[in-house]
Amino acid sequence: MPELPPGQRWVGDFIEYSALGRPSVNLEEWRLTVTGLVERELSLSYRELRSLEQVEIVRDFHCVTGWSVREVRWRGVRIARLAEMAGVRPEARWVRFVSLDGYDTSVPLEDALVEDAIVALEVNGRPLPEEMGFPARPIIPHLYAWKSAKWLTRVEFARGYPGGFWEDKGYHPRGNVLREERTL
Ligand SMILES: Nc1nc2c(c(=O)[nH]1)N[C@H]1C(S)=C(S)[C@@H](COP(=O)(O)O)O[C@H]1N2
Ligand SMILES: [Mo]
């Protein structure tokens, strides 16, 4: 049994949070763009993303409101791989994730570049269901789940702290689960 971080409780399944509603996604038009402090902007179709090396991770998922889901299997492309393809500039310190519905969130660059930080395309062996952010969401398992922007469409590298939907309401710039970085 995995260990429960401080202030969390196990629940059996995900609780859907879609603060700005569920956007409708047209997969033909959808692109994941990688922008900001990069040498080469990327604009990847779903097919192109799927053709990159996929990695699988099995990690617990922790919402800052206190619920945790055990041992979720995610599959997708390492954020570090996208950063390398785009050529992130040395001045970059932050990564901002932007969703189709307008939700956004940001994390320190070093947290986004760890080995098990991915842009997930699958959960538990199937493509992300619509309500879970199809076609893509970042998963950075050591950070709280609000950093996992569903319906991801843009990864932006920045020098200054970009903030985000919850961050601008007082939530933590990093959100490390074991350090209980919930609010400022
Ligand atoms: N676009 C978008 N992404 C989002 C959210 C949201 O409201 N909108 N909520 C976040 C929060 S607080 C959590 S806990 C997780 C919940 O993921 P789930 O809806 O798949 O359970 O999504 C995160 N990503
Ligand atoms: Mo959350």
Side-chain angles (χ1 to χ4, degrees):
M1 187 83 88
E3 211 176 313
L4 193 58
Q8 297 296 114
R9 66 180 188 283
W10 295 120
V11 296
D13 203 357
F14 290 85
I15 298 167
E16 181 187 343
Y17 286 172
S18 304
L20 302 175
R22 275 191 210 171
S24 65
V25 180
N26 177 339
L27 197 58
E28 292 307 310
E29 286 168 12
W30 180 85
R31 293 291 181 278
L32 180 68
T33 59
V34 180
T35 65
L37 293 175
V38 295
E39 301 295 341
R40 308 165 279 283
E41 290 211 342
L42 306 179
S43 175
L44 301 167
S45 68
Y46 187 60
R47 182 194 292 259
E48 287 169 324
L49 258 184
R50 295 202 70 115
S51 73
L52 300 176
E53 186 196 350
Q54 308 288 305
V55 301
E56 199 164 89
I57 58 172
V58 178
R59 298 291 300 270
D60 306 329
F61 184 84
H62 307 289
C63 171
V64 70
T65 62
W67 55 269
S68 296
V69 180
R70 260 184 225 108
E71 297 179 338
V72 185
R73 182 182 306 269
W74 304 98
R75 190 176 157 85
V77 179
R78 278 200 185 96
I79 298 170
R81 171 73 178 125
L82 299 173
E84 173 193 88
M85 286 171 67
V88 174
R89 300 229 183 91
E91 317 87 83
R93 290 286 173 274
W94 292 90
V95 185
R96 175 174 174 243
F97 299 107
V98 184
S99 300
L100 277 180
D101 55 319
Y103 184 89
D104 68 333
T105 184
S106 46
V107 303
L109 180 64
E110 65 206 39
D111 291 88
L113 297 184
V114 300
E115 268 220 323
D116 56 358
I118 66 176
V119 169
L121 305 176
E122 290 186 11
V123 61
N124 295 327
R126 53 186 184 138
L128 293 176
E130 205 177 304
E131 73 279 7
M132 286 190 70
F134 179 83
R137 68 191 294 176
I139 294 292
I140 305 177
H142 68 286
L143 304 183
Y144 286 114
W146 92 79
K147 304 289 186 178
S148 174
K150 304 195 289 184
W151 310 290
L152 180 68
T153 189
R154 181 148 47 105
V155 178
E156 201 178 286
F157 293 90
R159 183 203 291 261
Y161 174 49
F165 181 82
W166 287 116
E167 288 84 352
D168 297 351
K169 296 171 175 58
Y171 283 81
H172 199 280
R174 179 170 48 196
N176 183 288
V177 175
L178 291 179
R179 296 185 200 183
E180 272 201 277
E181 293 170 341
R182 296 172 191 270
T183 54
L184 270 179

